[in-house]
Each structure stands twice: as C-alpha cells, then as structure tokens.
Amino acid sequence: QLQASGGGLVQAGGSLRLSCAASVASGRTFRSYVMAWFRQVSGKEREFIASTGRYGASPVYADSVKGRFSISRDNAKNTVYLQMNSLKPEDTAVYYCAADAQIITSSLATMAAYDYWGQETQVTVSS
C-alpha cells in the first residue's frame, strides 16, 4: 500500500516536495522495490517522471523534469520523495507514486509495469 502526500498550489518558480510512504509486503524489504513517480493531466496518458532503483541503483528521469526534479528514498522510513524545484505551469497535474519489485530496467517508464499505485496528489502551479 502506498500513501502519497505533499501536493498543493504553488507559484511558478516555486518548490514542492511529494512524499510516498509504503507498507511493505511480508517477506520483502522496501529497498527491493523500484519506486517511481508518474503524473497525469486530464485527458492525457499518465506520464513517467522519475524512478529510483533497488539497492542503490541510479535514478532515472524524464527529460521534461531533468535538472528540476529529484527523486530520493529513505529506506529506513519506507518512503520515497520527489523534490520539485523551478516549477512551471505545465507541471500542473495529478501525481502518483508507484512501486514494483519485479520491474526490469527497460520498463521503468511503463505505467503498466508497476503493480502498486498510491492515491493521487494534486499539484497546481500558477503563472
């Protein structure tokens, strides 16, 4: 189970930090999951934003957020974060966190590859 939080309204150029706390299945550890963030604008497909890999693997970012967003994880707290800086109005969307323990590298940006999803958190960036 994933619990996302941290969305809100911010002016362009501002920052927000999203959090996603995970309840880990018995027999697994949080560090064994790939954690990711996606976002979706009404009427459009869900878009991959960033992922952080298992056991310290390097993060992966969509081109649209590189240099502005940063994904991190705290394995002791079973939580993944998305630090969003220099926000733009086009970052306005509903944001979701996702997790999967079996996903392969080539599928990190594929929504259907993730088994677990958190509830939405709205991010609105005003111009």
Side-chain angles (χ1 to χ4, degrees):
Q1 188 174 11
L2 302 175
Q3 186 76 26
S5 62
L9 173 65
V10 64
Q11 288 189 330
S15 299
L16 279 175
R17 188 176 81 157
L18 305 182
S19 300
C20 178
S23 298
V24 179
S26 177
R28 288 197 177 273
T29 60
F30 178 70
R31 65 179 68 240
S32 69
Y33 287 84
V34 169
M35 303 297 298
W37 289 94
F38 286 73
R39 66 186 181 189
Q40 188 169 21
V41 175
S42 180
K44 294 188 177 181
E45 290 189 357
R46 200 166 294 187
E47 173 192 19
F48 171 80
I49 297 300
S51 67
T52 176
R54 307 179 187 90
Y55 306 112
S58 297
V60 176
Y61 295 96
D63 288 343
S64 58
V65 304
K66 274 182 185 176
R68 299 188 299 121
F69 290 12
S70 177
I71 189 170
S72 62
R73 62 193 297 162
D74 185 336
N75 291 326
K77 295 182 178 180
N78 290 0
T79 300
V80 63
Y81 303 98
L82 185 68
Q83 178 66 43
M84 304 184 293
N85 299 325
S86 302
L87 282 161
K88 305 175 181 179
E90 51 263 44
D91 294 318
T92 295
V94 172
Y95 284 70
Y96 299 88
C97 61
D100 198 274
Q102 306 293 334
I103 194 169
I104 58 176
T105 301
S106 60
S107 297
L108 289 175
T110 303
M111 183 182 72
Y114 289 84
D115 281 344
Y116 304 101
W117 290 86
Q119 87 285 3
E120 62 190 47
T121 185
Q122 175 73 43
V123 172
T124 304
V125 184
S126 63
S127 58

